């Protein structure tokens, strides 16, 4: 549990989270596991406006004789609201999230050096935010109360299939990786703006009775499919070669070109491992590397 109080009034952050990490070797060739986290975040409360405070005359009166905040701290200039008005807002900003990554690893006993890993990741986040500015604030006085509410859902799903092959043949070493993955992100938001409330008692809960009601809705959805192959080769650990090819299909690409291919190549030389290298006592690793890709 985390509870942080900021320097400004109402600048508070509260977080409650829990995590579960489990990994078990079912057999000598199969491993299963999960990494799961639950969290609750609360950033409710609006702080004073620093920008308004910057422009406010220091000789103004933020409080009246009864100790209540004034709407216009400088009565002669009613274009400037009380910078402390945010502390009077009925503000809610809470979110709930679950993030989980579940995996399985298979080490094939009949092919030495070959393994397969599957990852399934899910992230789900719900956000509830609302704000009500009543008649005791400059923003809410002219509108007879202003309310803004937003409910948002975000969902991310990732499925990865990874084959790995790692073998040594004398002075030669080969490490190859093959990947096929699918990822989807979608989010939606219900947004509501209201003005003209009969009273401030129920704040945004009485938005259905406001004289002005403006609902809105947003939605977005993207999908990504990735295919990748990488081969790393080394000779005596000194001379290195890496070949990579990646192919991505993305819903955000142009209509006539949904797929892209991105190859790359790299060569390396572990100069520090050569017998003739004269500065072994000064450098424990010195590598020269060049790469090209698109």
């Amino acid at each position: 549990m985390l509870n942080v109080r900021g320097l400004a009034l109402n600048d508070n952050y509260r977080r409650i989270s829990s995590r579960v990490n489990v990994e078990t070797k079912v057999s000598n060739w199969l491993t299963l596991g999960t990494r799961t986290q639950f969290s609750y975040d609360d950033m409710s409360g609006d702080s004073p406006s620093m920008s308004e405070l910057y422009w406010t005359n220091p000789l103004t009166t933020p409080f009246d004789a009864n100790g209540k905040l004034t709407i216009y701290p400088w009565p002669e200039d009613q274009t400037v609201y009380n910078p402390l008005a945010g502390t009077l807002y009925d503000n809610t900003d809470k979110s709930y999230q679950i993030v989980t990554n579940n995996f399985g690893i298979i080490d094939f006993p009949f092919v030495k050096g070959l393994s397969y890993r599957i990852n399934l990741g899910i992230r789900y986040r719900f956000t509830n935010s609302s704000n009500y500015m009543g008649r005791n604030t400059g923003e809410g006085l002219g509108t007879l109360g202003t309310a803004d509410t937003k409910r948002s859902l975000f969902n991310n799903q990732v499925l990865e299939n990874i084959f790995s092959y790692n073998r040594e043949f004398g002075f030669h070493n080969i490490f190859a990786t093959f990947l096929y993955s699918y990822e989807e992100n979608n989010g939606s938001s219900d947004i509501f703006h209201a003005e003209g409330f009969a009273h401030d008692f129920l704040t945004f809960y009485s938005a259905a009775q406001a004289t002005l009601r403006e609902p809105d809705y947003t939605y977005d959805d993207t999908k990504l499919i990735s295919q990748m192959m990488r081969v790393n080769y080394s000779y005596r650990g000194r001379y290195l070669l890496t070949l990579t090819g990646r192919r991505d299909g993305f819903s955000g690409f142009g209509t006539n070109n949904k797929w892209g291919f991105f190859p790359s190549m790299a060569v390396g030389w572990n100069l520090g491992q050569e017998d003739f290298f004269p500065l072994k006592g000064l450098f424990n690793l010195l590598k020269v590397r060049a790469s090209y890709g698109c």
Side-chain angles (χ1 to χ4, degrees):
M1 180 176 176
L2 179 67
N3 193 1
V4 179
R5 299 180 64 87
L7 297 178
L9 190 63
N10 282 352
D11 184 18
N12 303 323
Y13 175 65
R14 184 185 182 194
R15 179 182 179 90
I16 301 175
S17 62
S18 63
R19 177 178 297 178
V20 177
N21 295 333
V22 177
E23 181 174 335
T24 178
K25 197 169 185 62
V26 181
S27 65
N28 58 356
W29 57 270
L30 177 61
T31 302
L32 300 176
T34 182
R35 306 284 188 269
T36 302
Q37 177 176 314
F38 308 89
S39 64
Y40 162 76
D41 298 285
D42 187 357
M43 295 182 289
S44 301
D46 208 334
S47 300
S49 173
M50 296 302 172
S51 60
E52 292 281 356
L53 184 63
Y54 178 81
W55 293 106
T56 300
N57 188 327
L59 300 179
T60 57
T61 54
F63 298 92
D64 61 19
N66 297 320
K68 295 183 179 180
L69 288 177
T70 57
I71 296 179
Y72 305 108
W74 192 0
E76 291 78 10
D77 185 2
Q78 297 192 359
T79 62
V80 179
Y81 299 141
N82 195 323
L84 300 177
T87 61
L88 301 177
Y89 299 164
D90 189 348
N91 180 270
T92 301
D93 188 358
K94 300 179 180 181
S95 62
Y96 310 82
Q97 178 173 260
I98 177 173
V99 179
T100 178
N101 179 37
N102 308 283
F103 62 91
I105 303 174
I106 298 176
D107 296 311
F108 294 97
F110 49 84
V111 180
K112 186 177 180 180
L114 179 64
S115 65
Y116 167 72
R117 180 182 178 113
I118 182 171
N119 295 319
L120 175 60
I122 298 174
R123 179 186 176 193
Y124 180 85
R125 184 179 182 89
F126 170 72
T127 301
N128 176 25
S129 60
S130 55
N131 193 47
Y132 182 79
M133 296 173 284
R135 292 167 175 79
N136 56 350
T137 66
E139 293 85 348
L141 180 62
T143 60
L144 298 180
T146 298
D148 291 286
T149 62
K150 184 177 181 179
R151 309 288 187 270
S152 300
L153 290 173
F154 174 78
N155 184 30
N156 168 262
Q157 304 173 37
V158 179
L159 177 63
E160 295 178 331
N161 299 275
I162 305 172
F163 284 91
S164 300
Y165 181 72
N166 190 6
R167 285 292 303 275
E168 288 188 6
F169 304 92
F171 297 125
H172 308 274
N173 177 265
I174 297 177
F175 178 58
T177 303
F178 305 88
L179 165 70
Y180 182 89
S181 69
Y182 171 82
E183 180 177 353
E184 180 176 355
N185 294 276
N186 60 70
S188 61
S189 297
D190 292 293
I191 306 169
F192 192 79
H193 175 80
E195 297 179 3
F197 288 74
H199 49 73
D200 293 334
F201 181 68
L202 294 177
T203 66
F204 46 76
Y205 294 107
S206 61
Q209 286 75 47
T211 57
L212 174 65
R213 299 184 297 272
E214 296 178 340
D216 196 6
Y217 179 78
T218 64
Y219 179 80
D220 61 85
D221 189 5
T222 61
K223 296 179 176 62
L224 172 66
I225 295 177
S226 298
Q227 304 158 358
M228 188 274 292
M229 181 181 70
R230 176 184 294 125
V231 178
N232 294 287
Y233 167 77
S234 69
Y235 177 72
R236 289 181 177 267
R238 303 176 185 174
Y239 312 107
L240 313 172
L241 173 66
T242 301
L243 300 174
T244 305
R246 176 164 181 159
R247 182 172 180 260
D248 291 326
F250 181 50
S251 60
F253 288 164
T255 304
N256 299 324
N257 191 13
K258 288 294 185 182
W259 291 87
F261 180 64
F262 311 96
S264 66
M265 180 182 70
V267 293
W269 180 22
N270 275 327
L271 182 60
Q273 295 188 12
E274 296 290 357
D275 296 334
F276 60 80
F277 184 65
L279 303 175
K280 292 183 180 291
L282 182 61
F283 298 98
N284 58 6
L285 176 63
L286 180 62
K287 179 190 292 186
V288 180
R289 188 175 186 270
S291 63
Y292 178 79
C294 61

